[in-house]
């Protein structure tokens, strides 16, 4: 039986072209700024997002941490969504290593925060208060089912933050999914923000890495923080080479993942008992709920026995992520296996 793994798009393996590029990459010591492949990747990312400069980091988590270290001071307050990746899944690094308070504002199901709620959370000047210095957005929004923030929303909320003298960071781990879904350039989504990071190792299929983009001055300071947290890598061109292939060749094919996600969501909507929101499936993430009349623990066990790997999100909630290594035929196979499973258990 074929195991179909939709836990995450991070499981994608590098393509053959990536492996060849890694083997052939021209190398140097990147801490001295002398790795030509890393330099090329950083320039490519900066130009695609129309920012002055970019920094190659080991992970999205490291990029987001460097953002907090660079844009804030210990004791500051950072506003971010209640479902933000930075808040949920980055080990509290912003608080532990950045020394900031994380102030959450509710995310709606579209990954947005209400403008008035954000404005209300910005601290006025008062001797008792921490200083609010940073607003973090996320696009696509992971915990909100891959929801896409539009350029309009991004610029409106960024203008609000800037009017209060905050910096704005966009966690764009899947920014190219958003750009492909909206059929615009990623740079339009990054334009209103001060810094933006993207992940190479998700749907783009590279093995490792993230890029943090912003002004030249911002990136230089972030580079120093990267060194401090142990992220100064030497012949990093070995992995950057795969990243160049990812940015050049792998962006447009994300549309296939989105089509497969829609196919999965609409298919699940026809299985009695499964709750799913197909009209909200904008990119490559599908949230669904198991039938109320089936024990969740039994549903999880049965998925596993039938070779379907998805993420469990608590309650009745599951997350399936489509990616390069899941085909349209695999989606149909998953739908077949789940509908049989539900028939047998209900
Ligand atoms: C995956 C992800 C990250 C961090 O990624 P790692 O490279 O796994 O550290 C950050 N933000 C969002 C929204 C993500 O989905």
């Amino acid at each position: 039986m074929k195991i179909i793994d939709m836990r995450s798009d991070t499981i994608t393996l590098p393509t053959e072209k990536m492996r060849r590029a890694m083997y052939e990459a021209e190398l140097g010591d990147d801490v001295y700024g002398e790795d030509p492949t890393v330099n090329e990747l950083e320039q490519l990312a900066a130009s695609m997002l129309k920012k002055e400069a970019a920094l190659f980091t080991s992970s999205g988590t490291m990029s987001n941490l460097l953002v907090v270290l660079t844009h804030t001071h210990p004791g500051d307050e950072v506003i971010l969504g209640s479902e933000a990746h930075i808040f949920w899944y980055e080990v509290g690094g912003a608080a532990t290593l950045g020394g900031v308070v994380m102030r959450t504002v509710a995310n709606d199901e579209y990954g947005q925060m209400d403008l008035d709620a954000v404005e209300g959370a910005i601290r006025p000047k008062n001797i008792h208060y921490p200083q609010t210095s940073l607003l973090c957005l996320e696009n696509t929004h992971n915990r909100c089912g891959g929801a896409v923030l539009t350029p309009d929303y991004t610029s409106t909320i960024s203008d609000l933050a800037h009017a209060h003298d905050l910096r704005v960071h966009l966690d764009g781990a899947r920014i190219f999914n958003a750009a492909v879904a909206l059929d615009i350039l990623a740079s339009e989504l990054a334009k209103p923000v001060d810094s933006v990071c993207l992940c190479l190792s998700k749907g783009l299929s590279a093995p490792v890495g993230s890029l943090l983009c912003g002004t030249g001055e911002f990136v230089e300071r972030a580079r120093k923080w990267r060194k401090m947290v142990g992220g100064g890598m030497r012949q990093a061109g070995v992995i950057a080479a795969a990243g160049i292939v990812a940015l050049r060749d792998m962006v447009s094919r994300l549309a296939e993942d989105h089509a497969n996600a829609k196919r999965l969501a609409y298919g699940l909507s026809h299985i009695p008992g499964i709750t799913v929101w197909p009209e909200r499936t904008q990119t490559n993430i599908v949230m669904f709920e198991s039938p109320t009349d089936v024990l969740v623990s039994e549903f999880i066990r049965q998925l596993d026995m039938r070779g379907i790997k998805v993420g469990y999100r608590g309650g009745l909630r599951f997350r399936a992520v489509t990616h390069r290594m899941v085909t349209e035929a695999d989606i149909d196979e998953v739908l077949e296996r789940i509908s049989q499973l539900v028939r047998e258990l209900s």
Side-chain angles (χ1 to χ4, degrees):
M1 181 181 58
K2 180 177 180 185
I3 291 177
I4 301 164
D5 192 343
M6 296 196 293
R7 285 170 303 167
S8 177
D9 44 6
T10 55
I11 69 141
T12 46
L13 299 176
T15 63
E16 201 166 315
K17 188 166 174 188
M18 287 178 187
R19 289 179 186 267
R20 199 166 305 120
M22 293 168 82
Y23 180 74
E24 290 168 356
E26 243 188 281
L27 304 174
D29 189 328
D30 181 53
V31 173
Y32 296 145
E34 290 173 6
D35 189 301
T37 307
V38 172
N39 292 342
E40 184 185 339
L41 174 63
E42 290 179 344
Q43 279 155 22
L44 177 61
S47 76
M48 286 173 84
L49 293 185
K50 292 206 172 74
K51 296 292 181 196
E52 282 173 22
L55 182 69
F56 185 43
T57 71
S58 63
S59 66
T61 300
M62 182 183 277
S63 286
N64 286 330
L65 174 64
L66 299 181
V67 163
V68 170
L69 293 168
T70 309
H71 277 320
T72 72
H73 296 102
D76 284 358
E77 193 161 69
V78 173
I79 297 176
L80 72 182
S82 55
E83 303 303 319
H85 192 280
I86 296 175
F87 181 65
W88 276 84
Y89 301 122
E90 300 186 8
V91 210
T96 311
L97 304 172
V100 299
V101 182
M102 286 191 265
R103 175 92 176 264
T104 58
V105 168
N107 277 124
D108 65 18
E109 67 264 44
Y110 301 101
Q112 300 190 357
M113 290 174 269
D114 178 69
L115 294 171
D116 292 336
V118 169
E119 188 156 36
I122 298 171
R123 303 276 194 166
K125 283 218 178 338
N126 180 314
I127 195 167
H128 302 87
Y129 292 159
Q131 165 122 21
T132 313
S133 53
L134 177 66
L135 170 72
C136 296
L137 308 174
E138 188 174 315
N139 197 8
T140 65
H141 204 293
N142 188 335
R143 278 182 64 87
C144 296
V148 170
L149 302 181
T150 62
D152 260 4
Y153 174 80
T154 310
S155 76
T156 305
I157 197 165
S158 298
D159 286 350
L160 169 72
H162 288 144
H164 290 273
D165 210 23
L166 273 62
R167 305 281 84 76
V168 181
H169 171 62
L170 174 60
D171 178 353
R174 295 189 181 83
I175 192 171
F176 290 110
N177 292 85
V180 165
L182 293 167
D183 197 21
I184 58 175
L185 292 171
S187 56
E188 286 188 53
L189 294 166
K191 193 172 172 190
V193 303
D194 302 289
S195 59
V196 53
C197 63
L198 64 91
C199 277
L200 298 169
S201 62
K202 297 199 164 158
L204 299 183
S205 301
V208 182
S210 162
L211 286 133
L212 174 57
C213 311
T215 64
E217 185 264 345
F218 166 82
V219 166
E220 271 331 289
R221 290 195 294 128
R223 192 179 293 281
K224 185 121 177 165
W225 284 114
R226 185 188 68 172
K227 188 78 183 89
M228 190 189 287
V229 298
M233 298 182 281
R234 301 296 178 172
Q235 284 75 39
V238 169
I239 47 179
I244 292 171
V245 177
L247 290 182
R248 289 232 170 94
D249 294 3
M250 306 301 281
V251 171
S252 61
R253 67 150 305 286
L254 295 173
E256 287 171 39
D257 300 343
H258 299 175
N260 281 335
K262 285 201 179 73
R263 189 179 185 87
L264 177 64
Y266 280 100
L268 287 172
S269 74
H270 292 118
I271 300 178
I274 302 274
T275 305
V276 61
W277 301 266
E279 66 292 343
R280 266 201 242 145
T281 304
Q282 295 174 278
T283 57
N284 69 330
I285 298 178
V286 179
M287 300 296 209
F288 64 95
E289 289 181 0
S290 58
T292 46
D293 57 351
V294 174
L295 269 181
V296 178
S297 55
E298 182 58 13
F299 191 78
I300 293 171
R301 205 176 68 85
Q302 290 287 338
L303 285 174
D304 191 55
M305 274 173 45
R306 291 165 204 243
I308 297 169
K309 292 190 174 192
V310 294
Y312 176 55
R313 288 303 176 99
L316 299 175
R317 200 42 84 109
F318 292 82
R319 184 189 82 156
V321 185
T322 57
H323 53 76
R324 200 185 99 246
M325 298 174 80
V326 174
T327 63
E328 189 180 291
D330 291 336
I331 297 295
D332 292 342
E333 178 66 27
V334 165
L335 289 169
E336 183 51 43
R337 289 183 200 171
I338 294 182
S339 67
Q340 197 175 353
L341 177 171
V342 171
R343 265 200 312 275
E344 286 170 23
L345 292 185
S346 300

